[in-house]
């Protein structure tokens, strides 16, 4: 299927794609909030674990960040199915991470702490993949946009990937607590410094 080179046609196509992305982001946010509400409603059902909740907060912030950041794709000059598939898989990866943070049931585990460490390989493995995909997503927006983010951007992603690999390798509570807090605070800092004003 051929599309006109008219920029307006690409803008219209992106709106069509953004509807799907919005649905996936909305499902992820709903999933996180629903399970958080379940913890508030029934706090004695399973003992909570603060590191686990920090990662749930990280995913909430990252979903909002993703939705804001993807606005840059409205300027994408050439859409094809491969690009559409990649961006959709990126969004689906975010939803998968939300599902791993809060499973439908933790009945097979003593509490959320036991669940977190038992399934950390999956969560942090996919988190590392997510930040690798993020680099590709940024390059899709153009080399000028990538350079605009400066040296901090590749260093940021590399740090998240290395930190995730470390989280897979260790059960150290100190490591996981430090990594969770640092990741959330840095993500909030990045959003504040880069995207307070959409440009």
């Amino acid at each position: 299927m051929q599309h006109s080179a008219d920029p307006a046609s690409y803008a219209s196509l992106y709106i069509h794609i953004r509807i799907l992305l919005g649905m996936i982001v909305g499902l992820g946010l709903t999933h996180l909030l629903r399970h958080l509400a379940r913890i508030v409603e029934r706090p004695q059902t399973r003992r909570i674990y603060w590191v686990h909740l920090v990662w749930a907060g990280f995913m909430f912030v990252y979903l909002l960040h993703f939705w804001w950041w993807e606005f840059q794709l409205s300027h994408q000059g050439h859409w094809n199915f491969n690009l559409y598939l990649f961006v959709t898989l990126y969004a689906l990866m975010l939803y998968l991470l939300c599902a791993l943070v809060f499973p439908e049931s933790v009945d097979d585990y003593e509490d959320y702490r036991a669940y977190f460490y038992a399934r950390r390989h999956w969560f942090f493995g996919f988190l590392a993949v997510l930040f690798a995909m993020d680099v590709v997503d940024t390059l899709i927006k153009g080399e000028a946009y990538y350079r605009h983010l400066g040296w901090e951007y590749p260093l940021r992603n590399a740090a998240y990937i290395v930190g995730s690999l470390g989280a897979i390798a260790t059960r150290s509570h100190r490591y996981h607590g430090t990594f969770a807090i640092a990741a959330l605070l840095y993500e909030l800092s990045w959003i504040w410094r880069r995207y307070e004003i959409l440009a």
Side-chain angles (χ1 to χ4, degrees), residues 5-6 11 18 20-21 34 38 50 54 66-67 73 83-85 91 104 112 118 125 143 149 159 162-163 180:
D6 180 5
R18 200 162 193 250
L20 176 61
L21 299 183
R34 178 164 54 89
R38 182 179 298 174
W50 71 269
V54 172
F66 170 81
W67 187 237
L73 285 177
L83 176 55
Y84 157 74
L85 179 62
E104 289 303 321
Y112 280 103
E143 289 188 23
L149 296 176
V162 171

Side-chain angles (χ1 to χ4, degrees), residues 116-128:
F116 176 79
Y117 286 108
R119 289 290 174 260
R120 74 185 191 279
H121 303 86
W122 288 99
F123 177 77
F124 290 108
F126 282 123
L127 190 66

Side-chain angles (χ1 to χ4, degrees), residues 10 21 49 53 72 139 143 175 180-181 190:
Y10 288 116
L21 299 183
Y49 180 43
L53 291 180
Q72 296 291 340
L139 287 171
E143 289 188 23
Y175 179 92
I181 292 173
W190 176 267

